[in-house]
Amino acid sequence: MPQIQSHYPLTSLNTFGLQSVAEYFISIEQPQQLLDCIADPKLNQFKWSILGGGSNLILPELVHGLVLKMDLKGRQLTHEDEEYWYITAAAGENWHEFVQWTLEQGWGGLENLSLIPGTVGASPVQNIGAYGIEIKDVFHSLTAIHLKTGAQKEFAREECCFAYRDSVFKHEGYGDWCITAVTFQLRKRYEAKTNYGDVAQELERQSLQATAKNISTVISQIRLQKLPNPAEIGNAGSFFQNPIVSQELVGELVEQYPALVKYKVSEETYKLAAAWLIEQSGWKGRALGSVAMFQRQALVMVNLGDATQQQVKLLSEAVSKDVCAKFKVNLMVEPIFWG
Ligand SMILES: Cc1cc2nc3c(=O)[nH]c(=O)nc-3n(C[C@H](O)[C@H](O)[C@H](O)COP(=O)(O)OP(=O)(O)OC[C@H]3O[C@@H](n4cnc5c(N)ncnc54)[C@H](O)[C@@H]3O)c2cc1C
């Protein structure tokens, strides 16, 4: 049984840098430790919360109950066939280090997701995505343990119900399944994806070929320029999702705002750039209490020093209200608020 600690500080374990303490805290380094906890009736009286790298969380000052910190480690090529390499990594592996390791082995496919903070285990939870790819495009399966019953289950891609920043793990029974390992299938016939954002231009500017390693380097450079580094200024990445709206509403909005930033998703729907909506609503670089929408990227909320969960909530509500009043669009918050 791992050691249980009480009143454990979480401030350095969340990238927003919110002052927070876990009532009880356990670091899980082996799947068996998780099973031991599940079998312990004393621990079952608590509410349990799973913590990865804390990069998509807005924490309260006190997290009631037991926080399970995912520190399971290990990564390996499990098998291969003519088309794919199948690579499995434990939930506690750092995502970016895992991506770099796959590239060093010569397995391309994850490079567009370089420099996303957090852990491998959390990557399917919101189907992480960046620069034109999402986890669902390279996902094979995952293993999870049910925290109430101890049952172990393998989830195939279809069972995860992946969608934009979404999966089954954010819905019914949220927090019931603890993901212990994820298997990715990486295509042997490499196809570079450089048609998103400034990737192709940047490769050309630096006279670099579109190899997986070069794409990773260039995307990391672009991200470092655009996004605030959580080690310097607390944040949880994009604070709002890009809203998906009807073609009808886009038609109305374009008449009024010809510069509206939009991407066609299907015959009937468009994705709007939430950053543009926030900027046009006057919130880019604007603060409320100790939080602000970032000056260089309006989609990111930043901690100006001693922010609290309540202040994050107030700014989030103020921005959403103004965007809705101006554009009739409801913004959805991306990070998860723990109660
Ligand atoms: C600067 C910055 C840039 C970012 N850029 C991107 C981006 O480009 N694209 C993107 O999609 N996201 C991005 N994010 C958001 C974040 O990095 C991802 O959502 C990441 O996958 C969260 O991982 P984590 O380990 O930190 O999860 P945490 O924040 O610790 O947890 C997030 C949620 O997942 C659950 N969870 C964690 N581990 C497990 C597990 N093993 N089993 C079950 N549930 C679990 C938690 O309970 C919680 O509900 C960014 C964040 C920051 C700070």
Side-chain angles (χ1 to χ4, degrees):
M1 171 69 78
Q3 201 196 348
I4 302 176
Q5 307 193 57
S6 64
H7 287 87
Y8 191 89
L10 300 177
T11 306
S12 65
L13 298 182
N14 75 98
T15 61
F16 210 96
L18 293 165
Q19 299 270 341
S20 181
V21 164
E23 192 177 7
Y24 297 102
F25 179 93
I26 293 183
S27 161
I28 300 291
E29 293 173 2
Q30 302 290 336
Q32 185 55 45
Q33 294 176 323
L34 199 53
L35 296 172
D36 291 344
C37 291
I38 293 166
D40 186 333
K42 282 200 303 295
L43 296 182
N44 279 313
Q45 58 183 311
F46 301 128
K47 177 177 182 273
W48 291 16
S49 305
I50 307 165
L51 179 66
S55 63
N56 211 24
L57 285 172
I58 302 298
L59 301 181
E61 279 171 39
L62 175 65
V63 179
H64 289 282
L66 178 66
V67 170
L68 301 163
K69 169 84 167 58
M70 283 299 109
D71 287 325
L72 301 165
K73 292 283 153 62
R75 55 200 185 188
Q76 59 174 324
L77 173 71
T78 42
H79 61 289
E80 60 185 290
D81 56 26
E82 273 188 14
E83 217 177 329
Y84 296 106
W85 288 293
Y86 298 87
I87 295 121
T88 302
E93 286 286 335
N94 174 278
W95 174 259
H96 179 67
E97 285 170 16
F98 170 63
V99 172
Q100 294 308 303
W101 174 75
T102 59
L103 296 175
E104 276 155 28
Q105 312 308 308
W107 307 323
L110 299 179
E111 59 280 1
N112 291 42
L113 302 173
S114 294
L115 222 61
I116 296 182
T119 54
V120 166
S123 65
V125 174
Q126 77 151 0
N127 178 29
I128 57 169
Y131 291 90
I133 87 153
E134 292 180 330
I135 274 294
K136 70 165 173 41
D137 304 323
V138 284
F139 178 91
H140 176 265
S141 58
L142 65 79
T143 309
I145 292 177
H146 196 277
L147 293 182
K148 294 204 173 98
T149 64
Q152 184 166 313
K153 177 172 157 65
E154 183 150 331
F155 285 77
R157 187 190 328 215
E158 312 74 59
E159 292 172 281
C160 295
C161 306
F162 289 125
Y164 169 60
R165 298 292 188 272
D166 202 17
S167 76
V168 70
F169 303 103
K170 282 177 89 171
H171 294 280
E172 80 268 19
Y174 165 75
D176 281 353
W177 286 104
C178 181
I179 297 165
T180 53
V182 185
T183 300
F184 300 90
Q185 52 178 54
L186 304 183
R187 208 175 275 283
K188 287 186 170 174
R189 192 190 296 162
Y190 180 63
E191 277 173 39
K193 293 208 173 59
T194 60
N195 56 351
Y196 192 97
D198 309 336
V199 180
Q201 292 95 305
E202 201 48 38
L203 285 166
E204 203 181 313
R205 198 184 65 78
Q206 298 187 34
S207 308
L208 293 173
Q209 288 190 344
T211 63
K213 273 192 177 178
N214 286 344
I215 292 172
S216 170
T217 305
V218 159
I219 286 178
S220 299
Q221 290 166 350
I222 297 172
R223 288 181 67 101
L224 285 170
Q225 279 165 18
K226 287 198 171 163
L227 293 170
N229 178 355
E232 289 160 13
I233 180 157
N235 74 92
S238 303
F239 193 84
F240 296 102
Q241 296 178 3
N242 288 319
I244 295 176
V245 300
S246 68
Q247 192 183 25
E248 199 187 342
L249 178 60
V250 167
E252 265 179 53
L253 290 174
V254 164
E255 278 192 18
Q256 226 180 328
Y257 308 101
L260 182 79
V261 182
K262 58 187 189 315
Y263 313 92
K264 194 167 184 163
V265 176
S266 70
E267 282 312 310
E268 293 92 32
T269 56
Y270 280 81
K271 193 186 270 185
L272 302 183
W276 189 86
L277 302 174
I278 295 166
E279 186 175 349
Q280 297 301 309
S281 303
W283 278 102
K284 189 174 183 180
R286 200 166 139 201
L288 193 64
S290 295
V291 281
M293 301 317 292
F294 191 48
Q295 183 58 54
R296 288 208 311 267
Q297 166 52 279
L299 195 50
V300 179
M301 190 187 290
V302 291
N303 182 351
L304 299 178
D306 53 358
T308 61
Q309 188 193 52
Q310 180 60 12
Q311 290 180 337
V312 173
K313 193 161 171 270
L314 288 176
L315 177 56
S316 160
E317 285 168 359
V319 172
S320 302
K321 188 166 150 269
D322 286 356
V323 167
C324 188
K326 195 172 167 92
F327 298 104
K328 291 193 258 172
V329 171
N330 289 315
L331 291 180
M332 295 259 292
V333 170
E334 191 174 301
I336 295 161
F337 281 64
W338 276 2

